[in-house]
């Protein structure tokens, strides 16, 4: 199980560039572990630091600016999370403290990795994402109501019901399936009566 995220509130850091891929989110040279920890320092390393392998902050990068250093929400551009399917990209975002990414669109595998790791992928029109960035205020995401609020701006977003349940309750795919144990058991009872030859009993 992961940390439930029914609601996220905080500063949104604008990184509104198209096609931000997983190698830009965490370069392969920064993937020194197969675990979910120890990756935050490598997040956006190619942009966040002055040179490859360096840890000297690039003052021009948004997450190094004082107002966005503790951002919990990231604003992205179209096709966010494209490229390789590396789950490390989402692990790095989560360890850094990002709990939601708002973008006009996501690469499907990246979006699925977000859901499985406690990051809300919010799809909003490009003009809405840019309006939130201009507003510059704190953003509130209500997953249950499927709304995003930022100052006077309020938007609704769509999300798959299964993804919503997994995020809101901190479930993985197995946990989500086990919520239907009753229905599964009832089906098996009916099916066993209708097709007994399918079920091999221990002798």
């Amino acid at each position: 199980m992961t940390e439930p995220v029914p609601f996220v509130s905080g500063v949104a850091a604008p990184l509104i560039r198209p096609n931000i891929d997983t190698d830009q989110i965490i370069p392969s040279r920064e993937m020194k572990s197969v675990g979910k920890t120890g990756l935050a320092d490598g997040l956006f390393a190619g942009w966040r630091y002055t040179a490859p392998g360096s840890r000297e902050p690039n003052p021009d990068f948004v997450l190094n600016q004082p107002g966005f250093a503790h951002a919990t929400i990231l604003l992205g551009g179209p096709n966010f999370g494209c490229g390789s399917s590396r789950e490390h990209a989402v692990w790095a975002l989560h360890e850094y403290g990002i709990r939601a990414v708002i973008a006009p669109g996501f690469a499907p595998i990246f979006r699925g990795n977000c859901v499985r790791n406690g990051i809300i992928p919010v799809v909003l029109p490009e003009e809405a994402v840019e309006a939130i960035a201009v507003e510059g205020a704190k953003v509130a995401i209500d997953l249950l109501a499927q709304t995003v609020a930022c100052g006077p701006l309020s938007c609704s977003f769509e999300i798959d019901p299964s993804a919503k349940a997994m995020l809101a309750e901190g479930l993985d795919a197995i946990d989500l399936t086990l919520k239907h144990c009753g229905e599964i058991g009832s089906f098996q009872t009916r099916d066993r009566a209708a097709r007994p030859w399918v079920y091999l009993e221990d002798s």
Side-chain angles (χ1 to χ4, degrees), residues 7-90:
F7 186 83
V8 177
S9 178
V11 173
L15 191 59
I16 306 177
R17 309 179 188 183
N19 305 313
I20 293 177
D21 64 37
T22 52
D23 192 56
Q24 291 164 327
I25 297 172
I26 184 162
S28 57
R29 66 178 179 274
E30 300 290 340
M31 294 163 50
K32 300 172 183 177
S33 168
V34 295
K36 295 185 178 184
T37 59
L39 298 167
D41 283 349
L43 181 68
F44 295 117
W47 298 334
R48 194 169 152 203
Y49 304 114
T50 55
S54 168
R55 285 297 184 260
E56 180 182 350
N58 173 5
D60 295 328
F61 185 64
V62 63
L63 293 180
N64 292 331
Q65 297 168 9
F68 299 110
H70 302 290
T72 56
I73 299 167
L74 192 65
L75 304 176
N79 200 30
F80 192 93
C82 58
S84 73
S85 60
R86 67 184 65 165
E87 201 166 2
H88 292 71
V90 174

Side-chain angles (χ1 to χ4, degrees), residues 166-185:
M166 290 172 71
L167 287 162
E169 300 177 48
L171 307 176
D172 61 23
I174 294 174
D175 295 323
L176 191 65
T177 301
L178 291 177
K179 291 185 71 175
H180 302 282
C181 278
E183 296 96 318
I184 293 169

Side-chain angles (χ1 to χ4, degrees), residues 106-139:
F106 295 90
I109 293 175
F110 178 86
R111 182 178 59 232
N113 286 339
C114 281
V115 171
R116 286 189 290 274
N117 289 281
I119 295 178
I120 306 174
V122 177
V123 176
L124 290 181
E126 197 163 358
E127 58 270 22
V129 178
E130 291 173 351
I132 292 171
V134 170
E135 185 67 30
K138 286 190 175 181
V139 176

